[in-house]
């Protein structure tokens, strides 16, 4: 197996950089996001569309060896598949860099997911409404790890169901955000990441508020005991 770099350059390239935008010397913090979902749902496409560098893509040509193992019946135009992970990068500011990892979708590569989740700030579950059952494993593993996530419906074709219908079918909690997107479009993919960032911020502020409230109750109880 040989990893290869995607031929499509996404984002500005500096002169002499061969398509790679070097990290700023001031960058000191790296934040990790994982994009998960079923086989052929658009994870590689999303990483490619939004990354500011030419993404690292471990795609290999699909061969007869995968017949009967990988179900490509609903993605007949797909000729390559991710066998490890996709990797992209976005600079948020002078100090912070967002690292994007796209997980492989086939069941035979799911053993890699737990390692990809290590150190992850949050995740995007990319779903195809024609194959919602393919999302169950991703949701289960994220919940098992306690990793915050949002769900993004990838609309390569016109959606036939409402987001609420999808929420009900996936049995999602009301506090899990859902968003429509087109993984082929940079602005749409960026909107997904912004939605995830807002969700993570909301969770962190809620947790901080609960901690403050708990500390206040403890202080009040200690004051009553001392009195």
């Amino acid at each position: 197996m040989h990893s290869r770099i995607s031929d499509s350059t996404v984002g500005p390239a500096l002169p002499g950089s061969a398509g790679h935008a070097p990290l700023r010397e001031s960058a000191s913090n790296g934040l990790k996001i994982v994009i998960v979902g079923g086989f052929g749902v658009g994870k590689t496409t999303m990483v490619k569309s939004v990354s500011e560098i030419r993404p690292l893509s471990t795609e290999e040509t699909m061969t007869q060896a995968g017949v009967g193992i990988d179900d490509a019946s609903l993605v007949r135009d797909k000729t390559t598949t991710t066998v490890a992970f996709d990797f992209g990068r976005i600079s948020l500011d002078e100090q912070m860099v967002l690292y994007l990892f796209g997980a492989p979708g086939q069941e035979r590569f799911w053993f890699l997911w737990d390692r990809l989740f290590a150190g992850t700030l949050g995740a995007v579950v990319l779903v195809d409404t024609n194959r919602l059952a393919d999302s169950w494993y991703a949701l289960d593993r994220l919940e098992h790890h306690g990793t915050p996530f949002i769900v993004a419906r990838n609309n390569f074709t016109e959606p036939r169901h409402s987001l609420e219908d999808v929420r009900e079918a996936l049995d999602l909690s009301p506090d899990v955000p859902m968003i429509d997107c087109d993984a082929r479009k940079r602005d749409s993919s960026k909107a997904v990441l912004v939605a995830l960032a807002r969700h993570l911020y909301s969770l962190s502020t809620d947790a901080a508020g609960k901690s403050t409230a708990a500390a206040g109750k403890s202080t009040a109880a200690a004051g009553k005991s001392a009195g």
Side-chain angles (χ1 to χ4, degrees):
M1 180 187 75
H2 298 283
S3 299
R4 65 179 177 82
I5 300 298
S6 168
D7 290 331
S8 58
T9 302
V10 181
L14 299 180
S17 65
H20 294 266
L23 280 173
R24 294 185 176 92
E25 293 183 0
S26 58
S28 58
N29 294 315
L31 307 176
K32 181 180 177 182
I33 296 296
V34 175
I35 303 172
V36 296
F39 175 50
V41 78
K43 301 179 297 295
T44 298
T45 300
M46 177 170 281
V47 173
K48 286 181 179 179
S49 73
V50 78
S51 177
E52 69 184 16
I53 63 170
R54 185 179 298 170
L56 169 66
S57 181
T58 57
E59 284 189 292
E60 294 296 326
T61 301
M62 296 173 64
T63 66
Q64 289 297 315
V67 175
I69 300 175
D70 301 327
D71 182 7
S73 60
L74 294 176
V75 283
R76 295 187 182 279
D77 293 335
K78 189 172 177 61
T79 59
T80 61
T81 185
T82 299
V83 296
F85 59 84
D86 302 303
F87 174 77
R89 192 192 78 207
I90 302 173
S91 296
L92 301 178
D93 56 30
E94 293 295 326
Q95 279 77 40
M96 300 184 72
V97 178
L98 182 67
Y99 297 115
L100 303 175
F101 289 83
Q106 306 98 306
E107 184 175 353
R108 58 194 168 113
F109 296 125
W110 283 353
F111 70 93
L112 296 169
W113 285 27
D114 287 349
R115 290 183 177 273
L116 284 178
F117 290 159
T120 297
L121 186 66
V124 174
V125 180
L126 205 58
V127 303
D128 181 342
T129 51
N130 293 316
R131 296 177 290 127
L132 282 180
D134 292 351
S135 308
W136 284 114
Y137 183 78
L139 296 171
D140 177 71
R141 298 314 299 165
L142 290 170
E143 291 173 352
H144 171 77
H145 285 276
T147 304
F149 65 91
I150 69 169
V151 173
R153 177 173 63 178
N154 187 20
N155 295 324
F156 281 161
T157 58
E158 189 69 23
R160 295 180 295 174
H161 307 280
S162 70
L163 285 179
E164 287 309 309
D165 288 339
V166 176
R167 179 183 296 278
E168 183 176 353
L170 293 175
D171 194 25
L172 291 177
S173 169
D175 59 354
V176 175
M178 292 194 66
I179 185 173
D180 272 322
C181 73
D182 185 334
R184 297 167 295 187
K185 299 180 180 178
R186 180 177 176 83
D187 288 345
S188 185
S189 295
K190 285 174 62 178
V192 172
L193 299 180
V194 169
L196 175 59
R198 287 174 176 166
H199 180 52
L200 295 173
Y201 177 76
S202 176
L203 292 176
S204 66
T205 53
D206 286 349
K210 290 178 180 178
S211 297
T212 301
K217 289 180 179 179
S218 297
T219 302
K224 288 181 179 179
S225 297

